[in-house]
Amino acid sequence: MCRCLEVSTSGFYAWSGRKPGPRAQDNARLLVRIREMHEDSKGVLGAPRMHEDLGDEGESASLNRVARLMAANGLQGWPQRKKRRFGQKPGSRPVGVENLLERDFDAVEPETKWVTDITEILTIEGKLFLCVVLDLYCKRVMGWSMHHRQDRHMVVLAVQMAVWQREGENDVILHSDRGGQFISGTYQTFLGGNALVCSMSAVGHCGDNAACEGFFGVLKRERVHRTHYRTRDEARADLFDYLERFHNPRMRRRDARRDREFQALIKPSVETG
């Protein structure tokens, strides 16, 4: 083999007995953590989100390096599945309610812009409906509820949970579509009594609530579409695991990292002043 490759036998034996260099050793260490995080997420983390989570832990590896290690070892996220969407006839907005977000899904402070919506989860036993309230600042699920009927009481319970977790007392914009649950008097009365300002999408514009729709898309791609639920209780347990043990802890770490970066930016200016 050495004669065919025109390599000296002494050089070959030196190469074969050589210990891995510092870069290879660090890649091996990093790969161990990547495998652990990929397994903990049940195989849904792709390279971009894996890179984010590693950064939250203090790793300085680049996105290309993380992607290269994952690809070389057969690790990948769960791909998005495309499907056709069929529109539904929207209801009428209550008097005085407008589209306050106007597709501006950026929030510079927590508890200023929330979005809410309902999605259905299929089980062998029947449908289970999930309602969530999402904070656009940190993308954390502030409130959620599940029920076998998508009625106004389920929506109010999700918003009530978000109100309980709210730390401030300032008014919060709560945006939704024009579903019957959101235009109901029960829902509107609850918002008015809890410093929540109702905002609703325009007619026939599903993009007006794209932030919440996007969250449901990720939830279904990473968890629901990979599982066959036999009962509603089984689906409830798995959705709770995703919301409170996977998604929200990640968003809290991301929020803490953003706060650290902000403090690092303002510290030199304070010291200079």
Side-chain angles (χ1 to χ4, degrees), residues 96-117:
V97 175
E98 300 293 336
N99 185 353
L100 301 178
L101 286 191
E102 293 291 350
R103 301 194 183 188
D104 180 9
F105 301 120
D106 293 325
V108 296
E109 294 181 5
E111 300 179 4
T112 54
K113 296 179 182 179
W114 290 353
V115 291
T116 183
D117 204 353

PDB file of all heavy atoms in Angstrom, residues 96-117:
ATOM      1  N   GLY A  96     -65.006  48.540  18.046  1.00  0.00           N
ATOM      2  CA  GLY A  96     -63.848  49.175  18.658  1.00  0.00           C
ATOM      3  C   GLY A  96     -62.563  48.377  18.595  1.00  0.00           C
ATOM      4  O   GLY A  96     -61.508  48.867  19.008  1.00  0.00           O
ATOM      5  N   VAL A  97     -62.609  47.159  18.079  1.00  0.00           N
ATOM      6  CA  VAL A  97     -61.412  46.316  17.996  1.00  0.00           C
ATOM      7  C   VAL A  97     -60.777  46.479  16.621  1.00  0.00           C
ATOM      8  O   VAL A  97     -61.451  46.379  15.597  1.00  0.00           O
ATOM      9  CB  VAL A  97     -61.758  44.834  18.253  1.00  0.00           C
ATOM     10  CG1 VAL A  97     -60.533  43.958  18.050  1.00  0.00           C
ATOM     11  CG2 VAL A  97     -62.305  44.663  19.659  1.00  0.00           C
ATOM     12  N   GLU A  98     -59.467  46.716  16.592  1.00  0.00           N
ATOM     13  CA  GLU A  98     -58.729  46.894  15.351  1.00  0.00           C
ATOM     14  C   GLU A  98     -57.533  45.945  15.321  1.00  0.00           C
ATOM     15  O   GLU A  98     -57.223  45.277  16.309  1.00  0.00           O
ATOM     16  CB  GLU A  98     -58.255  48.346  15.209  1.00  0.00           C
ATOM     17  CG  GLU A  98     -59.371  49.375  15.199  1.00  0.00           C
ATOM     18  CD  GLU A  98     -60.259  49.262  13.966  1.00  0.00           C
ATOM     19  OE1 GLU A  98     -59.775  48.728  12.944  1.00  0.00           O
ATOM     20  OE2 GLU A  98     -61.417  49.707  14.028  1.00  0.00           O
ATOM     21  N   ASN A  99     -56.858  45.922  14.177  1.00  0.00           N
ATOM     22  CA  ASN A  99     -55.618  45.161  14.044  1.00  0.00           C
ATOM     23  C   ASN A  99     -54.467  46.057  14.517  1.00  0.00           C
ATOM     24  O   ASN A  99     -53.923  46.847  13.750  1.00  0.00           O
ATOM     25  CB  ASN A  99     -55.409  44.729  12.600  1.00  0.00           C
ATOM     26  CG  ASN A  99     -54.196  43.827  12.437  1.00  0.00           C
ATOM     27  OD1 ASN A  99     -53.429  43.621  13.368  1.00  0.00           O
ATOM     28  ND2 ASN A  99     -54.030  43.287  11.246  1.00  0.00           N
ATOM     29  N   LEU A 100     -54.117  45.945  15.777  1.00  0.00           N
ATOM     30  CA  LEU A 100     -53.111  46.836  16.365  1.00  0.00           C
ATOM     31  C   LEU A 100     -51.683  46.406  16.027  1.00  0.00           C
ATOM     32  O   LEU A 100     -50.769  47.232  16.053  1.00  0.00           O
ATOM     33  CB  LEU A 100     -53.295  46.885  17.884  1.00  0.00           C
ATOM     34  CG  LEU A 100     -54.668  47.370  18.374  1.00  0.00           C
ATOM     35  CD1 LEU A 100     -54.733  47.316  19.895  1.00  0.00           C
ATOM     36  CD2 LEU A 100     -54.949  48.776  17.872  1.00  0.00           C
ATOM     37  N   LEU A 101     -51.481  45.145  15.734  1.00  0.00           N
ATOM     38  CA  LEU A 101     -50.119  44.677  15.432  1.00  0.00           C
ATOM     39  C   LEU A 101     -49.704  45.026  14.010  1.00  0.00           C
ATOM     40  O   LEU A 101     -48.554  45.398  13.770  1.00  0.00           O
ATOM     41  CB  LEU A 101     -50.016  43.165  15.634  1.00  0.00           C
ATOM     42  CG  LEU A 101     -49.993  42.643  17.069  1.00  0.00           C
ATOM     43  CD1 LEU A 101     -49.625  41.164  17.091  1.00  0.00           C
ATOM     44  CD2 LEU A 101     -49.032  43.434  17.952  1.00  0.00           C
ATOM     45  N   GLU A 102     -50.624  44.876  13.047  1.00  0.00           N
ATOM     46  CA  GLU A 102     -50.304  45.141  11.636  1.00  0.00           C
ATOM     47  C   GLU A 102     -49.054  44.358  11.205  1.00  0.00           C
ATOM     48  O   GLU A 102     -48.158  44.885  10.559  1.00  0.00           O
ATOM     49  CB  GLU A 102     -50.107  46.640  11.396  1.00  0.00           C
ATOM     50  CG  GLU A 102     -51.358  47.472  11.566  1.00  0.00           C
ATOM     51  CD  GLU A 102     -52.393  47.229  10.482  1.00  0.00           C
ATOM     52  OE1 GLU A 102     -52.048  46.548   9.487  1.00  0.00           O
ATOM     53  OE2 GLU A 102     -53.527  47.704  10.636  1.00  0.00           O
ATOM     54  N   ARG A 103     -49.001  43.107  11.625  1.00  0.00           N
ATOM     55  CA  ARG A 103     -47.913  42.173  11.285  1.00  0.00           C
ATOM     56  C   ARG A 103     -46.548  42.602  11.824  1.00  0.00           C
ATOM     57  O   ARG A 103     -45.510  42.154  11.324  1.00  0.00           O
ATOM     58  CB  ARG A 103     -47.829  41.953   9.775  1.00  0.00           C
ATOM     59  CG  ARG A 103     -49.110  41.400   9.177  1.00  0.00           C
ATOM     60  CD  ARG A 103     -48.903  40.879   7.777  1.00  0.00           C
ATOM     61  NE  ARG A 103     -50.150  40.411   7.205  1.00  0.00           N
ATOM     62  CZ  ARG A 103     -50.263  39.748   6.041  1.00  0.00           C
ATOM     63  NH1 ARG A 103     -49.163  39.488   5.343  1.00  0.00           N
ATOM     64  NH2 ARG A 103     -51.428  39.361   5.590  1.00  0.00           N
ATOM     65  N   ASP A 104     -46.528  43.445  12.803  1.00  0.00           N
ATOM     66  CA  ASP A 104     -45.272  43.821  13.471  1.00  0.00           C
ATOM     67  C   ASP A 104     -45.103  42.894  14.672  1.00  0.00           C
ATOM     68  O   ASP A 104     -45.617  43.159  15.752  1.00  0.00           O
ATOM     69  CB  ASP A 104     -45.317  45.282  13.921  1.00  0.00           C
ATOM     70  CG  ASP A 104     -44.036  45.710  14.618  1.00  0.00           C
ATOM     71  OD1 ASP A 104     -43.059  44.923  14.591  1.00  0.00           O
ATOM     72  OD2 ASP A 104     -43.997  46.802  15.195  1.00  0.00           O
ATOM     73  N   PHE A 105     -44.371  41.797  14.470  1.00  0.00           N
ATOM     74  CA  PHE A 105     -44.236  40.774  15.499  1.00  0.00           C
ATOM     75  C   PHE A 105     -42.974  40.951  16.350  1.00  0.00           C
ATOM     76  O   PHE A 105     -42.580  40.035  17.080  1.00  0.00           O
ATOM     77  CB  PHE A 105     -44.239  39.382  14.865  1.00  0.00           C
ATOM     78  CG  PHE A 105     -45.493  39.099  14.081  1.00  0.00           C
ATOM     79  CD1 PHE A 105     -45.426  38.802  12.727  1.00  0.00           C
ATOM     80  CD2 PHE A 105     -46.734  39.157  14.679  1.00  0.00           C
ATOM     81  CE1 PHE A 105     -46.572  38.542  11.988  1.00  0.00           C
ATOM     82  CE2 PHE A 105     -47.893  38.896  13.955  1.00  0.00           C
ATOM     83  CZ  PHE A 105     -47.805  38.591  12.608  1.00  0.00           C
ATOM     84  N   ASP A 106     -42.331  42.109  16.246  1.00  0.00           N
ATOM     85  CA  ASP A 106     -41.163  42.396  17.076  1.00  0.00           C
ATOM     86  C   ASP A 106     -41.610  43.136  18.330  1.00  0.00           C
ATOM     87  O   ASP A 106     -42.407  44.071  18.264  1.00  0.00           O
ATOM     88  CB  ASP A 106     -40.145  43.243  16.313  1.00  0.00           C
ATOM     89  CG  ASP A 106     -39.518  42.483  15.161  1.00  0.00           C
ATOM     90  OD1 ASP A 106     -39.315  41.268  15.311  1.00  0.00           O
ATOM     91  OD2 ASP A 106     -39.244  43.097  14.120  1.00  0.00           O
ATOM     92  N   ALA A 107     -41.067  42.731  19.466  1.00  0.00           N
ATOM     93  CA  ALA A 107     -41.365  43.396  20.743  1.00  0.00           C
ATOM     94  C   ALA A 107     -40.047  43.702  21.443  1.00  0.00           C
ATOM     95  O   ALA A 107     -39.195  42.822  21.575  1.00  0.00           O
ATOM     96  CB  ALA A 107     -42.240  42.511  21.630  1.00  0.00           C
ATOM     97  N   VAL A 108     -39.863  44.932  21.859  1.00  0.00           N
ATOM     98  CA  VAL A 108     -38.611  45.342  22.496  1.00  0.00           C
ATOM     99  C   VAL A 108     -38.648  45.129  24.008  1.00  0.00           C
ATOM    100  O   VAL A 108     -37.616  45.229  24.661  1.00  0.00           O
ATOM    101  CB  VAL A 108     -38.295  46.819  22.184  1.00  0.00           C
ATOM    102  CG1 VAL A 108     -38.060  47.010  20.697  1.00  0.00           C
ATOM    103  CG2 VAL A 108     -39.425  47.734  22.660  1.00  0.00           C
ATOM    104  N   GLU A 109     -39.812  44.855  24.555  1.00  0.00           N
ATOM    105  CA  GLU A 109     -39.952  44.614  25.988  1.00  0.00           C
ATOM    106  C   GLU A 109     -40.902  43.449  26.205  1.00  0.00           C
ATOM    107  O   GLU A 109     -41.807  43.212  25.395  1.00  0.00           O
ATOM    108  CB  GLU A 109     -40.497  45.859  26.707  1.00  0.00           C
ATOM    109  CG  GLU A 109     -39.571  47.060  26.690  1.00  0.00           C
ATOM    110  CD  GLU A 109     -40.169  48.233  27.441  1.00  0.00           C
ATOM    111  OE1 GLU A 109     -41.261  48.057  28.040  1.00  0.00           O
ATOM    112  OE2 GLU A 109     -39.573  49.314  27.416  1.00  0.00           O
ATOM    113  N   PRO A 110     -40.710  42.712  27.301  1.00  0.00           N
ATOM    114  CA  PRO A 110     -41.652  41.625  27.601  1.00  0.00           C
ATOM    115  C   PRO A 110     -43.009  42.179  28.022  1.00  0.00           C
ATOM    116  O   PRO A 110     -43.125  43.327  28.464  1.00  0.00           O
ATOM    117  CB  PRO A 110     -40.969  40.880  28.752  1.00  0.00           C
ATOM    118  CG  PRO A 110     -40.076  41.895  29.392  1.00  0.00           C
ATOM    119  CD  PRO A 110     -39.616  42.792  28.286  1.00  0.00           C
ATOM    120  N   GLU A 111     -44.023  41.350  27.852  1.00  0.00           N
ATOM    121  CA  GLU A 111     -45.379  41.669  28.296  1.00  0.00           C
ATOM    122  C   GLU A 111     -45.915  42.955  27.660  1.00  0.00           C
ATOM    123  O   GLU A 111     -46.523  43.791  28.306  1.00  0.00           O
ATOM    124  CB  GLU A 111     -45.446  41.751  29.818  1.00  0.00           C
ATOM    125  CG  GLU A 111     -45.049  40.454  30.501  1.00  0.00           C
ATOM    126  CD  GLU A 111     -45.102  40.550  32.016  1.00  0.00           C
ATOM    127  OE1 GLU A 111     -45.513  41.597  32.546  1.00  0.00           O
ATOM    128  OE2 GLU A 111     -44.724  39.573  32.685  1.00  0.00           O
ATOM    129  N   THR A 112     -45.636  43.105  26.362  1.00  0.00           N
ATOM    130  CA  THR A 112     -46.203  44.225  25.609  1.00  0.00           C
ATOM    131  C   THR A 112     -47.052  43.716  24.439  1.00  0.00           C
ATOM    132  O   THR A 112     -48.055  44.336  24.110  1.00  0.00           O
ATOM    133  CB  THR A 112     -45.100  45.144  25.066  1.00  0.00           C
ATOM    134  OG1 THR A 112     -44.163  44.354  24.300  1.00  0.00           O
ATOM    135  CG2 THR A 112     -44.373  45.847  26.202  1.00  0.00           C
ATOM    136  N   LYS A 113     -46.644  42.603  23.830  1.00  0.00           N
ATOM    137  CA  LYS A 113     -47.385  42.032  22.705  1.00  0.00           C
ATOM    138  C   LYS A 113     -47.512  40.519  22.899  1.00  0.00           C
ATOM    139  O   LYS A 113     -46.497  39.814  22.975  1.00  0.00           O
ATOM    140  CB  LYS A 113     -46.671  42.309  21.377  1.00  0.00           C
ATOM    141  CG  LYS A 113     -46.562  43.773  20.990  1.00  0.00           C
ATOM    142  CD  LYS A 113     -45.808  43.905  19.678  1.00  0.00           C
ATOM    143  CE  LYS A 113     -45.629  45.363  19.272  1.00  0.00           C
ATOM    144  NZ  LYS A 113     -44.865  45.481  18.004  1.00  0.00           N
ATOM    145  N   TRP A 114     -48.727  40.054  22.974  1.00  0.00           N
ATOM    146  CA  TRP A 114     -49.022  38.623  23.039  1.00  0.00           C
ATOM    147  C   TRP A 114     -49.860  38.231  21.829  1.00  0.00           C
ATOM    148  O   TRP A 114     -50.608  39.054  21.290  1.00  0.00           O
ATOM    149  CB  TRP A 114     -49.809  38.275  24.306  1.00  0.00           C
ATOM    150  CG  TRP A 114     -49.039  38.378  25.593  1.00  0.00           C
ATOM    151  CD1 TRP A 114     -47.712  38.606  25.740  1.00  0.00           C
ATOM    152  CD2 TRP A 114     -49.576  38.258  26.918  1.00  0.00           C
ATOM    153  NE1 TRP A 114     -47.371  38.640  27.071  1.00  0.00           N
ATOM    154  CE2 TRP A 114     -48.498  38.430  27.818  1.00  0.00           C
ATOM    155  CE3 TRP A 114     -50.847  38.033  27.427  1.00  0.00           C
ATOM    156  CZ2 TRP A 114     -48.664  38.379  29.197  1.00  0.00           C
ATOM    157  CZ3 TRP A 114     -51.020  37.972  28.804  1.00  0.00           C
ATOM    158  CH2 TRP A 114     -49.938  38.143  29.687  1.00  0.00           C
ATOM    159  N   VAL A 115     -49.731  36.986  21.403  1.00  0.00           N
ATOM    160  CA  VAL A 115     -50.598  36.444  20.353  1.00  0.00           C
ATOM    161  C   VAL A 115     -51.188  35.132  20.851  1.00  0.00           C
ATOM    162  O   VAL A 115     -50.591  34.435  21.662  1.00  0.00           O
ATOM    163  CB  VAL A 115     -49.828  36.205  19.030  1.00  0.00           C
ATOM    164  CG1 VAL A 115     -49.419  37.520  18.395  1.00  0.00           C
ATOM    165  CG2 VAL A 115     -48.593  35.331  19.264  1.00  0.00           C
ATOM    166  N   THR A 116     -52.372  34.803  20.355  1.00  0.00           N
ATOM    167  CA  THR A 116     -53.043  33.576  20.778  1.00  0.00           C
ATOM    168  C   THR A 116     -53.753  32.942  19.598  1.00  0.00           C
ATOM    169  O   THR A 116     -54.152  33.627  18.645  1.00  0.00           O
ATOM    170  CB  THR A 116     -54.048  33.861  21.915  1.00  0.00           C
ATOM    171  OG1 THR A 116     -54.640  32.630  22.346  1.00  0.00           O
ATOM    172  CG2 THR A 116     -55.154  34.801  21.449  1.00  0.00           C
ATOM    173  N   ASP A 117     -53.896  31.626  19.656  1.00  0.00           N
ATOM    174  CA  ASP A 117     -54.600  30.897  18.607  1.00  0.00           C
ATOM    175  C   ASP A 117     -54.885  29.481  19.102  1.00  0.00           C
ATOM    176  O   ASP A 117     -54.411  29.072  20.164  1.00  0.00           O
ATOM    177  CB  ASP A 117     -53.775  30.854  17.317  1.00  0.00           C
ATOM    178  CG  ASP A 117     -54.650  30.657  16.082  1.00  0.00           C
ATOM    179  OD1 ASP A 117     -55.866  30.427  16.254  1.00  0.00           O
ATOM    180  OD2 ASP A 117     -54.128  30.704  14.955  1.00  0.00           O
TER     181      ASP A 117
END
